[in-house]
Amino acid sequence: MILVEDVSFEYPSGRGEALSGVSVKFEPGEFVAVMGENGAGKTTLAKHLNGLLRPSSGRVLVDEEDTRRTSVARLARKVGLVFQNPDHLLFSETVRAEVAFALHNLGYAGKTIENQVEKTLGSLDLTRYADVSPFLLSGGERKRVALAAVLAWEPEYLILDEPTIGQDYLQKERLRNFIVQLNSQGKAVIIITHDVEFVAEAKPRVVLLSKGRVVGEGPADRVLSDADKVASASLVKPQIAKLFDQLSRFGFPRDVVDVHRAKQLLEDRLREVSVHV
Amino acid sequence: MSRTFVTLRSLEGFKFYGRKTIVHNLDPRAKALFITTVFVVSLLFTNLYVLLGLLTVHVPFLLAAGVLRRWVYSIRAGALLAGIIFFANLLTGSGVLPALALTVRFLVLLTTFSLFFMTTSPDDLGLALDRVGLVRWLSRRWLGFPNALSFTFTTAVRLVPTLAVDAQTVIDAQRSRGLELDKGNVLRRIRNYVPILIPLLLVAIRRSLELAEALEARGFPGREDRTSLYELRFKASDYLLVLGSSTVLAVSMWIFVIHPVLRLPF
Amino acid sequence: MDPSKTPNRILEARNLGFQYEGAEARALRGVNFCVERGEFVLLAGPSGCGKTTLCRCLNGLIPHFYPGVQEGEILVDGSNVTSMPTSEVSRKVGYVFQNPENQLFALTVEKDVAFGPENLGLPRSEIRERVDWAMRITGTTELKNLAPYELSGGQQQRVALAGILAMKPSVVVMDEPTSFLDPVTAEEVMKAVADLRLEHGITVIVVEHRLDLVCRYADRIIVMDSGKVVADGSVQDVLDGQFDQLTGLGVGVPRVSQLWAMLKRDGLVSGQTPKVVEAAAEKLGGKLST
């Protein structure tokens, strides 16, 4: 479990996102979305989870190891952080070498490295690019290579920073399925995002940040249908939630955010209505 | 960690700070003449008093511009080098006074450049460069357009903070993959910078390409007779500075040629 | 009367095709469409369908910045721009890019907005006028002396828009301008664009994956797939008539439209597919009240 206890943080230059008294937990195998406006502190929080940043006060425990006393390299074994822009990561001659990089750093043996690389390439459908230079691939493919580079050592906690930007609907669906797969393997997935519709459909646990503080936490449907919480984090309600707000006079539950549940509720009610007519 | 901190602090002695002071408002060309004068005079004379005088001349400017504290940072940064200059000269046989004079000369040069960069916005520098005939000619020959060179300069300055953030992001990303930058022997440490430099270079190139696209979309480079919203104009204070500097320059050169006695260190 | 000289037809693509240098397949094939003055067009389609390529053709980045083989022609306000240099086309067609940070080059906002007009060689007084106007209508006047890196993403996008508007182009093309923005800012920017279009008659073409953001304001939608135009019509017509095709392509239709389509498939509702929440609420409210 990753435990964030009353963490406060400020950049020495004074600029950039700060954190103020943040307390939050991440359990193994769960799916969490950290949401909030640009500058709320989401990325700062993510960087605290693998030791890139250390809190000025409070502490972060990763499986009981205090991040202030542990090196990033050691924490990285458990916590994989995939940055938003894959180009900040890629430097190798081949995709294979790129995926193997972290495994070398973390001290794995040669044969293990080979196996892990093949396995990871396979799981992300990159095997055919194994010996291609990552720079020759398209934007979407490079994003997958960056993901593969972090998945290579199968960290227990995977943090994805804004994975849905610029993706079309099918790509987002694939991402959703991939996350489900990772969860079923016991891996926790934490996404940093402001894509409300994606979260409404995938329904993770949601942690809302605003101006460095946690302003809301709970299941997606509860949090995203709460107007105050949503507004304080500079988000908007998912369309379905807005729809049900306007249909509130019909006595529907107030926490409907996804299409499928909406359809179910409306279907039942519409059938009732047509029966009475 | 603390080592990088010191280096960054000393860079602050050269970074531009936007303020509305007389010094900041001086035309960069006038200021350029001033620092050239200081430069030439400090090289012409090895007289300790002359050099100390040159150093003191900067103080009112530093005060007026409100950058005294930051100037101290740049002096602190140069302290090591200054010390080396002093002892190197002492050990190679010059007396204490001459060695001291040479050290002060170094500090004078440091101060004058520091003052210039702290009080001249890169914008104004760009505008000034745009007007300089030589720069326009070179720009036309090398890059095809007269304003290209000065634009390159301002864009480079504009990109510095952005690329600094990129550099930090690359370092963070690679450390998150287990890269340890502070371990191993010298060779290993140098090799460890490859995963930092390559992505940084590529990110910088990609940014530049995107910027280039955006530039084209705004009609850059435009016509030969491209106009500008702001232009540099000489004010009374600029004329004063130019007059003062050229006088000092002329007088110094005359003294240098006619009265060699002042060449002596004391 | 020659249709291309119709005063209202501001943009026209005729049989446009393009293949990037070194690419194996064409990125655009046989694209035909026209845009009327003052229209708000939404350009949608799955990743890689050619939306960005099309935009680049519209403002001259293709073929000058991106070499390749181009076929067909593009007419802006009646004149053929296909062979004009980018700097000339950009006077007629403005382009706002996806990444807000990489399209601001000056050291202050004001100088950045002035950049375009400066390149046009306009007299200083006119530059001043245009800069003040563009900043006013995009709500960026208070940002005038800030540096690009000091601005938030939304502010950067609005400044970029101001810079383009200051050149007074006939058409403004925006390529996924809200990708990097949070939802509230994204809606603000879209609304600002829609207002500008209504008040000043600017023609707008927006490329967007998230239809729900733009559906409210767009008159028309053009959908592309693999370099071809597969749908072109009013947003309402396309949502009604080609809904399944859209979802099959992976276009992110508004959730309320999706909900309606699901209910319609089961025979529970009928009629036009709502494209915004209010319309959906009205229709469903009506059905539930009977």
Side-chain angles (χ1 to χ4, degrees):
Chain A
M1 170 171 77
I2 301 182
L3 191 62
V4 177
E5 269 180 12
D6 204 22
V7 161
S8 293
F9 174 81
E10 225 184 84
Y11 280 94
S13 60
R15 296 184 63 239
E17 329 170 324
L19 293 177
S20 179
V22 171
S23 291
V24 75
K25 256 197 317 216
F26 299 103
E27 312 266 1
E30 71 164 333
F31 179 21
V32 184
V34 176
M35 306 185 75
E37 78 267 16
N38 287 347
K42 315 188 288 288
T43 310
T44 307
L45 179 60
K47 291 190 188 177
H48 274 88
L49 302 181
N50 76 343
L52 281 173
L53 294 175
R54 268 91 194 226
S56 335
S57 73
R59 61 182 186 162
V60 177
L61 298 174
V62 175
D63 284 351
E64 292 172 16
E65 282 193 88
D66 191 334
T67 62
R68 289 170 302 187
R69 287 191 260 287
T70 325
S71 70
V72 173
R74 195 173 150 79
L75 290 167
R77 275 171 208 273
K78 297 226 176 103
V79 182
L81 178 49
V82 183
F83 283 72
Q84 193 176 332
N85 185 349
D87 297 326
H88 280 124
L89 202 93
L90 303 174
F91 73 99
S92 309
E93 286 184 42
T94 62
V95 168
R96 201 190 291 275
E98 196 69 65
V99 177
F101 178 66
L103 297 167
H104 284 297
N105 290 334
L106 296 173
Y108 287 82
K111 196 69 185 123
T112 319
I113 296 183
E114 250 182 71
N115 293 339
Q116 276 302 109
V117 170
E118 291 313 316
K119 183 174 164 195
T120 314
L121 288 176
S123 68
L124 283 165
D125 196 24
L126 289 168
T127 318
R128 59 202 140 119
Y129 296 129
D131 296 301
V132 174
S133 160
F135 306 114
L136 296 175
L137 301 176
S138 74
E141 287 158 351
R142 290 201 307 273
K143 255 182 126 93
R144 291 213 313 271
V145 173
L147 183 57
V150 176
L151 280 175
W153 73 92
E154 297 188 48
E156 281 157 46
Y157 302 90
L158 184 68
I159 309 173
L160 303 174
D161 194 347
E162 299 286 2
T164 62
I165 288 188
Q167 307 269 295
D168 66 31
Y169 191 69
L170 284 174
Q171 288 169 323
K172 290 191 199 182
E173 211 177 277
R174 259 191 294 236
L175 177 66
R176 231 184 1 257
N177 294 335
F178 190 70
I179 294 176
V180 169
Q181 201 186 335
L182 285 171
N183 284 150
S184 70
Q185 290 167 2
K187 309 267 184 276
V189 177
I190 303 165
I191 59 171
I192 297 174
T193 185
H194 47 59
D195 192 336
V196 173
E197 296 291 349
F198 179 79
V199 172
E201 199 143 343
K203 302 229 259 196
R205 174 165 70 98
V206 172
V207 173
L208 279 186
L209 284 182
S210 177
K211 304 202 189 20
R213 287 170 206 273
V214 176
V215 296
E217 208 201 313
D221 32 28
R222 199 157 35 85
V223 176
L224 291 179
S225 50
D226 184 329
D228 294 325
K229 296 228 160 74
V230 160
S232 66
S234 221
L235 296 172
V236 297
K237 285 197 189 184
Q239 272 212 332
I240 298 294
K242 287 196 228 179
L243 175 65
F244 273 70
D245 276 348
Q246 295 190 26
L247 295 176
S248 57
R249 63 186 187 278
F250 296 101
F252 289 107
R254 296 308 298 275
D255 60 350
V256 189
V257 298
D258 77 297
V259 188
H260 303 281
R261 182 156 171 238
K263 186 212 173 208
Q264 203 57 56
L265 289 165
L266 284 168
E267 192 174 33
D268 294 339
R269 191 66 71 85
L270 284 168
R271 286 197 208 279
E272 262 177 46
V273 168
S274 64
V275 162
H276 286 161
V277 164
Chain B
M1 206 353 220
S2 55
R3 240 181 299 137
T4 29
F5 212 54
V6 166
T7 341
L8 286 174
R9 266 306 183 85
S10 39
L11 281 177
E12 289 203 15
F14 288 88
K15 208 172 102 175
F16 170 68
Y17 286 97
R19 291 249 192 108
K20 295 226 181 270
T21 68
I22 291 186
V23 186
H24 284 77
N25 288 342
L26 285 169
D27 192 304
R29 294 166 293 179
K31 281 188 272 193
L33 181 61
F34 172 72
I35 67 173
T36 312
T37 307
V38 170
F39 187 72
V40 171
V41 173
S42 70
L43 286 180
L44 287 177
F45 298 103
T46 334
N47 185 311
L48 182 62
Y49 301 116
V50 169
L51 291 168
L52 279 173
L54 269 181
L55 194 60
T56 337
V57 155
H58 288 88
V59 175
F61 286 96
L62 291 167
L63 278 171
V67 291
L68 203 61
R69 183 165 352 130
R70 298 197 172 99
W71 169 66
V72 172
Y73 289 149
S74 68
I75 293 297
R76 274 226 300 254
L80 183 65
L81 203 51
I84 293 176
I85 293 177
F86 181 67
F87 286 111
N89 276 289
L90 210 55
L91 292 170
T92 53
S94 350
V96 172
L97 281 180
L100 206 58
L102 290 173
T103 316
V104 174
R105 171 189 288 166
F106 168 71
L107 292 175
V108 165
L109 292 175
L110 193 66
T111 305
T112 204
F113 280 103
S114 172
L115 177 68
F116 182 78
F117 284 110
M118 282 196 288
T119 60
T120 311
S121 86
D123 254 338
D124 287 345
L125 260 181
L127 278 175
L129 280 177
D130 235 353
R131 297 284 222 87
V132 175
L134 180 64
V135 172
R136 290 177 77 88
W137 180 80
L138 278 173
S139 179
R140 217 181 266 121
R141 291 213 71 199
W142 288 342
L143 302 164
F145 300 98
N147 48 327
L149 212 53
S150 69
F151 185 77
T152 311
F153 171 75
T154 36
T155 312
V157 173
R158 174 255 179 279
L159 279 178
V160 167
T162 311
L163 288 175
V165 172
D166 280 329
Q168 187 61 54
T169 311
V170 172
I171 291 176
D172 284 344
Q174 306 299 37
R175 285 181 73 202
S176 303
R177 289 162 89 187
L179 184 69
E180 296 188 84
L181 289 169
D182 46 0
K183 291 256 169 78
N185 57 27
V186 178
L187 210 61
R188 155 116 266 155
R189 288 201 205 194
I190 294 179
R191 267 222 321 257
N192 277 345
Y193 275 89
V194 169
I196 308 286
L197 293 172
I198 296 187
L200 187 57
L201 194 63
L202 287 165
V203 162
I205 293 178
R206 259 185 232 278
R207 268 200 202 282
S208 313
L209 283 173
E210 281 186 39
L211 265 174
E213 268 187 300
L215 277 175
E216 298 247 6
R218 302 261 207 109
F220 190 77
R223 311 144 53 117
E224 221 0 87
D225 54 347
R226 183 185 190 282
T227 45
S228 75
L229 183 60
Y230 286 109
E231 76 170 347
L232 291 175
R233 210 170 276 167
F234 259 39
K235 306 172 287 296
S237 48
D238 298 308
Y239 284 115
L240 216 63
L241 187 62
V242 168
L243 201 61
S245 305
S246 15
T247 313
V248 169
L249 193 58
V251 168
S252 308
M253 296 190 96
W254 178 73
I255 294 180
F256 182 76
V257 171
I258 309 295
H259 292 274
V261 63
L262 279 173
R263 299 199 211 163
L264 296 172
F266 48 84
Chain C
M1 181 173 161
D2 181 359
S4 68
K5 294 274 185 279
T6 318
N8 263 341
R9 183 164 300 187
I10 199 151
L11 190 68
E12 191 177 338
R14 287 187 190 161
N15 214 19
L16 192 59
F18 183 72
Q19 184 164 352
Y20 287 97
E21 197 175 276
E24 284 160 15
R26 284 198 284 171
L28 288 177
R29 348 153 182 231
V31 170
N32 284 293
F33 66 86
C34 36
V35 177
E36 310 281 307
R37 194 177 299 273
E39 265 195 306
F40 191 133
V41 180
L42 169 53
L43 185 53
S47 292
C49 68
K51 312 188 291 291
T52 303
T53 308
L54 178 58
C55 292
R56 289 175 182 161
C57 284
L58 292 178
N59 93 322
L61 279 174
I62 286 178
H64 306 285
F65 202 83
Y66 293 95
V69 180
Q70 190 177 23
E71 303 158 354
E73 43 184 24
I74 300 179
L75 295 144
V76 177
D77 232 344
S79 37
N80 189 333
V81 301
T82 337
S83 42
M84 272 193 217
T86 319
S87 44
E88 288 217 29
V89 186
S90 54
R91 288 161 208 231
K92 299 176 188 281
V93 182
Y95 198 124
V96 177
F97 294 80
Q98 189 180 15
N99 191 332
E101 201 172 19
N102 295 341
Q103 54 191 326
L104 301 177
F105 5 82
L107 291 158
T108 62
V109 164
E110 189 185 39
K111 297 212 176 98
D112 199 276
V113 176
F115 191 73
E118 284 175 352
N119 288 334
L120 295 174
L122 298 170
R124 188 166 298 127
S125 53
E126 195 173 339
I127 300 184
R128 179 85 264 161
E129 235 182 79
R130 289 203 189 186
V131 167
D132 290 342
W133 171 77
M135 287 202 290
R136 189 171 33 91
I137 64 177
T138 52
T140 50
T141 317
E142 333 81 67
L143 307 173
K144 133 169 170 179
N145 290 317
L146 294 178
Y149 70 89
E150 294 180 293
L151 304 172
S152 72
Q155 289 171 329
Q156 285 172 339
Q157 279 300 33
R158 282 186 292 152
V159 170
L161 185 58
I164 296 293
L165 289 173
M167 295 179 74
K168 303 232 167 147
S170 319
V171 182
V172 175
V173 176
M174 302 178 83
D175 191 353
E176 294 190 57
T178 62
S179 285
F180 290 92
L181 307 180
D182 61 52
V184 169
T185 317
E187 286 199 356
E188 277 171 11
V189 170
M190 256 323 132
K191 179 156 193 312
V193 172
D195 288 344
L196 280 173
R197 171 253 185 158
L198 284 174
E199 283 162 26
H200 301 273
I202 302 170
T203 311
V204 181
I205 300 178
V206 176
V207 174
E208 187 49 76
H209 275 301
R210 299 178 295 181
L211 263 51
D212 49 302
L213 266 176
V214 193
C215 261
R216 184 184 298 274
Y217 310 112
D219 311 300
R220 203 156 131 228
I221 181 171
I222 297 177
V223 184
M224 293 182 68
D225 180 32
S226 307
K228 294 190 160 146
V229 171
V230 297
D232 181 355
S234 74
V235 178
Q236 191 63 64
D237 288 343
V238 172
L239 271 180
D240 287 331
Q242 297 174 269
F243 188 82
D244 291 330
Q245 186 179 19
L246 288 180
T247 47
L249 282 176
V251 172
V253 296
R255 292 285 169 280
V256 292
S257 314
Q258 189 185 4
L259 178 61
W260 187 268
M262 287 161 98
L263 291 169
K264 199 167 170 181
R265 213 170 292 139
D266 287 354
L268 293 159
V269 295
S270 60
Q272 283 193 326
T273 312
K275 51 178 182 157
V276 290
V277 176
E278 293 78 8
E282 220 186 283
K283 289 179 186 268
L284 285 170
K287 284 267 188 299
L288 292 166
S289 304
T290 35

